[in-house]
Amino acid sequence: MNILGIETSCDETSAAVLSGDVVLSNVVSSQAVHLQFGGVVPELASRAHIRKIVPIVDEALQNAKTTLSQIDGIAVTYGPGLVGALLVGVNYAKGLAMVLKKPFVGVNHIEGHIYSNFIENKNWSPPFLCLVVSGGHTLIVLVQDHLQYRIIGKTRDDAVGEAFDKVAKLLDLPYPGGPQIDQLANEGDPSFVKFPRALMKEKTFDFSYSGLKTAVMNYLKEIPEQEIRKNLSNICASFQQAAVEVLVRKTIEAARTFQINKIGVCGGVAANSLLRKWMTDEAAEYHLTVNFPALKYCTDNAAMIARAGLERLNQGYQASLNLNAYPSLQLEI
Ligand code: KG4
Ligand code: ZN
């Protein structure tokens, strides 16, 4: 079964072709138009998706040495995300499904991230605990079985990736800030400033990242500009330490509480080098298995959408041509 996956929920136009669970191609085009604004401009994102969707799908088909007539099913992200951006992918997928007379299915973007765990690790199976960390989401999900989720904890305000991006902006680093902070933090001292770790003492698996962002902002207001420049890597390392420590401690605690011995970590922030190392080390202490998808499957991509779509199509799910885009779509429970 050849599946074409399409992802347009934010600022990446992406298309992928899977043959069964094997990735034949995965093309991701990141929109450079937002760089000058220091964040994603929704209207510009929609327009860029419209320009890109046809050439990106063509490229994915070519790289996979496939043609549209060899596609057996289509999977498309229908939420959550920017409504105008989502609509481009959803309508394009509908058009293709109608013309090709092939089944198509809507995939929740978060479910796509969860399924990135299965792309390369063919031995991966539920139940497992999934930490989903991206620019828009921070949640711990108990994946009880395929397509069966229970949300254990989620952010009460900002997502962790959003905190990385906002702190980077305060430090005049280019968007997206996560990779920049990660790189600078490598040479910094994580104990330089003691930033707060939110909701660590409370008995909850929820997160909160707006306080950490505000703490960094207040700290920067007190320091002369040249001191900030001189200690840039120390400040980045201190912020990253606070942000990542909460993710690691809460996820491990959740795994122990729910007696689950496998942890999958996914979403853009799963590319973070400290998170990868710390989670791996801490999990080993408690004899837990951790899976991190390859970096290219952590940030937004259509291969993960196709992989989740494969599971849905196999289980008999199909969307009708009435499928809409849902900017605040929740993970089905
Ligand atoms: O999953 P993703 O591509 O898009 C969303 O669904 O939001 O995640 C993008 C987020 C951005 O906030 C970006 O700064 C963050 O992932 N990110 C990182 C790293 N690479 C990407 N954050 C921390 N460290 C990284 N290495
Ligand atoms: Zn994402």
Side-chain angles (χ1 to χ4, degrees):
M1 183 164 185
N2 288 331
I3 309 268
L4 173 68
I6 295 173
E7 156 64 38
T8 64
S9 68
C10 192
D11 59 341
E12 262 93 27
T13 315
S14 181
V17 178
L18 264 63
S19 168
D21 64 358
V22 177
V23 179
L24 298 182
S25 67
N26 181 40
V27 181
V28 182
S29 166
S30 299
Q31 303 173 353
V33 64
H34 309 289
L35 283 174
Q36 58 187 306
F37 301 102
V40 178
V41 183
E43 182 57 27
L44 295 179
S46 314
R47 288 169 194 226
H49 284 307
I50 290 171
R51 280 194 302 275
K52 285 281 181 164
I53 188 85
V54 173
I56 292 297
V57 169
D58 281 350
E59 197 179 329
L61 290 166
Q62 269 175 27
N63 290 357
K65 300 190 174 40
T66 331
T67 60
L68 275 178
S69 60
Q70 293 169 298
I71 294 295
D72 306 302
I74 300 160
V76 64
T77 309
Y78 74 115
L82 302 169
V83 69
L86 288 164
L87 278 169
V88 176
V90 167
N91 285 319
Y92 185 77
K94 272 191 212 176
L96 275 185
M98 204 155 57
V99 172
L100 299 173
K101 298 191 174 55
K102 291 288 155 71
F104 89 114
V105 69
V107 170
N108 182 309
H109 182 79
I110 300 169
E111 180 170 81
H113 277 302
I114 292 172
Y115 270 83
S116 66
N117 283 292
F118 294 90
I119 295 179
E120 292 157 302
N121 188 345
K122 304 296 180 198
N123 295 322
W124 197 249
S125 61
F128 66 97
L129 206 65
C130 195
L131 175 68
V132 186
V133 275
S134 73
H137 312 283
T138 306
L139 59 167
I140 300 177
V141 182
L142 175 56
V143 182
Q144 292 162 313
D145 202 344
H146 279 293
L147 313 179
Q148 304 274 317
Y149 313 107
R150 177 173 163 199
I151 295 174
I152 304 300
K154 57 183 188 310
T155 184
R156 295 182 182 175
D157 39 58
D158 292 356
V160 60
E162 193 180 348
F164 269 90
D165 295 337
K166 285 179 175 167
V167 165
K169 201 167 182 178
L170 293 172
L171 294 168
D172 285 330
L173 299 169
Y175 179 85
Q180 310 278 335
I181 292 186
D182 190 352
Q183 214 178 357
L184 281 161
N186 264 330
E187 291 128 44
D189 170 10
S191 61
F192 186 74
V193 197
K194 178 84 181 158
F195 288 124
R197 276 83 165 144
L199 301 178
M200 284 289 272
K201 296 201 178 76
E202 288 83 344
K203 277 214 164 308
T204 174
F205 295 114
D206 280 354
F207 301 93
S208 166
Y209 277 99
S210 72
L212 174 57
K213 170 197 68 191
T214 308
V216 176
M217 192 166 72
N218 290 340
Y219 170 80
L220 294 175
K221 274 190 200 148
E222 305 292 316
I223 308 290
E225 184 61 28
Q226 74 263 34
E227 279 297 302
I228 297 176
R229 290 297 126 209
K230 203 174 90 194
N231 288 301
L232 196 56
S233 50
N234 292 332
I235 297 167
C236 286
S238 302
F239 159 75
Q240 182 175 268
Q241 187 83 0
V244 169
E245 179 168 5
V246 185
L247 297 177
V248 174
R249 299 228 182 279
K250 285 196 182 264
T251 307
I252 300 282
E253 185 58 30
R256 299 182 67 209
T257 303
F258 291 92
Q259 298 186 322
I260 297 286
N261 63 1
K262 291 194 299 191
I263 297 170
V265 186
C266 57
V269 182
N272 184 269
S273 53
L274 179 67
L275 176 60
R276 292 175 94 91
K277 180 168 188 328
W278 200 341
M279 188 72 87
T280 305
D281 292 349
E282 196 79 7
E285 290 243 324
Y286 293 99
H287 308 289
L288 305 168
T289 306
V290 188
N291 185 65
F292 279 97
L295 297 187
K296 63 183 172 189
Y297 299 127
C298 287
T299 45
D300 287 350
N301 67 89
M304 67 186 194
I305 303 301
R307 183 63 188 79
L310 170 71
E311 208 62 46
R312 288 209 162 259
L313 288 167
N314 279 343
Q315 289 203 21
Y317 288 89
Q318 266 195 45
S320 79
L321 291 172
N322 292 330
L323 182 75
N324 209 342
Y326 295 95
S328 308
L329 185 67
Q330 302 290 310
L331 198 61
E332 253 176 62
I333 304 181

